[in-house]
Every structure is written in C-alpha cells, then in structure tokens.
Amino acid sequence: YSSGAVTTQGRFAFRYGRVDIRARLPHGAGIWPAFWLLPVAQSSWLAPYEIDMMEAYGLTPGIAMTLHWSTHQAQCTLVGPDFSAGYHVFSLVWTPTSLTWYVDGQRACEQTEHIPTVAMYLILNTALGGIAGQPAGAGEFPRVLSVDYVRVYQPAGTR
C-alpha cells in the first residue's frame, strides 16, 4: 500500500485569504485524507504552526479542523454527511485575527487566538495507518481522494 500527496511547497504560498477545496473523500479502515497548511520558513521538523483544513480518520464519522501552534492545538469536529458519498466544499477563511472553517458554505469552526502571521503552503494528501488505524486488507482498496478544484483568494498586498 502507499500514501500520496500533492503540495505547493516551493511553488505557491500565501498569507491570509480564502481557500476552497471541492473534493470527495475516501473512506475505510486505515484511510486518512487531509488538507493542511504549513509555514514556508520553518527551522525544524516541528512547525511553529499547522492549520488542518480537514482531516478524516478511517471509519470515524465526520471530520476534524485543527489549529496547531507550538505543542498546543484547538480543534473542532463535524459529524455531517457521508463525505465519501459525494463532493463537498471545504473552506478556510484566514484573516489576521481569525481562522474560520466552512463545509458546504456552513460555518463549522472558528479560532481567534494564536493566528499564524506567516506565509504558508498547501498539502492535500491521503495517508494510510496512523491515527486512522490499520487498513483492513486488500478489500479496502483502491481508495481515491477525488479533488475537483483548489481555489485560493487573497486580499491585495498579502502574498
């Protein structure tokens, strides 16, 4: 089995704005899809910030939306529709004073403390194992993360 990822590291980064990702998530034992942001300039393996737009964990229903800073985190969860049954739009609005997560246009989470002020790049991936548990076997595969689009909107002068 293998995991896969697409990243904008070294190609595109931004500070503040809106990210919309329309995707159909894979589901199953051991499947861990995620959309996240990391700082362009980080001095160690432990990034000073990480924004998880969306993470889904194996057979656990729903998604998590998390802001990590230093060794701390603030997280919201949303148990909604079966995100593998159709396409959904996962959005993040990032301002100097807040992070607000949306799913299909509905506000799902907000964080107003420890907001990153540095440029970040995107990662879209599907991992196997870890928090999502272990894949049940060959019957679980193939699993596909289908992404229709990724759109980033930025306020003028914030790149």
Side-chain angles (χ1 to χ4, degrees):
Y1 309 114
S2 66
S3 300
V6 175
T7 180
T8 65
Q9 184 177 19
R11 293 173 191 86
F12 175 77
F14 66 103
R15 182 175 60 108
Y16 309 134
R18 180 184 178 108
V19 181
D20 293 332
I21 301 174
R22 184 174 185 264
R24 180 177 177 175
L25 305 182
H27 179 76
I31 308 299
W32 183 8
F35 307 147
W36 43 308
L37 293 84
L38 283 178
V40 170
Q42 61 189 59
S43 58
S44 71
W45 68 269
L46 180 61
Y49 289 102
E50 176 183 317
I51 302 171
D52 297 327
M53 283 185 63
M54 179 288 306
E55 289 185 283
Y57 308 115
L59 296 172
T60 303
I63 60 170
M65 298 149 283
T66 311
L67 170 62
H68 301 269
W69 68 96
S70 184
T71 58
H72 307 284
Q73 70 177 30
Q75 184 178 74
C76 299
T77 57
L78 172 67
V79 176
D82 178 354
F83 293 107
S84 68
Y87 282 87
H88 298 274
V89 178
F90 303 91
S91 302
L92 175 71
V93 176
W94 174 18
T95 73
T97 59
S98 68
L99 293 168
T100 308
W101 289 257
Y102 296 86
V103 177
D104 295 327
Q106 299 296 310
R107 189 176 135 197
C109 184
E110 185 171 39
Q111 174 69 19
T112 58
E113 297 184 77
H114 307 286
I115 305 304
T117 59
V118 297
M120 302 180 94
Y121 63 92
L122 289 164
I123 303 168
L124 286 67
N125 75 286
T126 299
L128 299 176
I131 294 173
Q134 293 304 309
E140 289 290 320
F141 297 99
R143 292 289 188 233
V144 176
L145 169 60
S146 298
V147 177
D148 183 33
Y149 60 75
V150 177
R151 297 177 179 155
V152 178
Y153 305 90
Q154 298 177 259
T158 59
R159 189 162 190 206

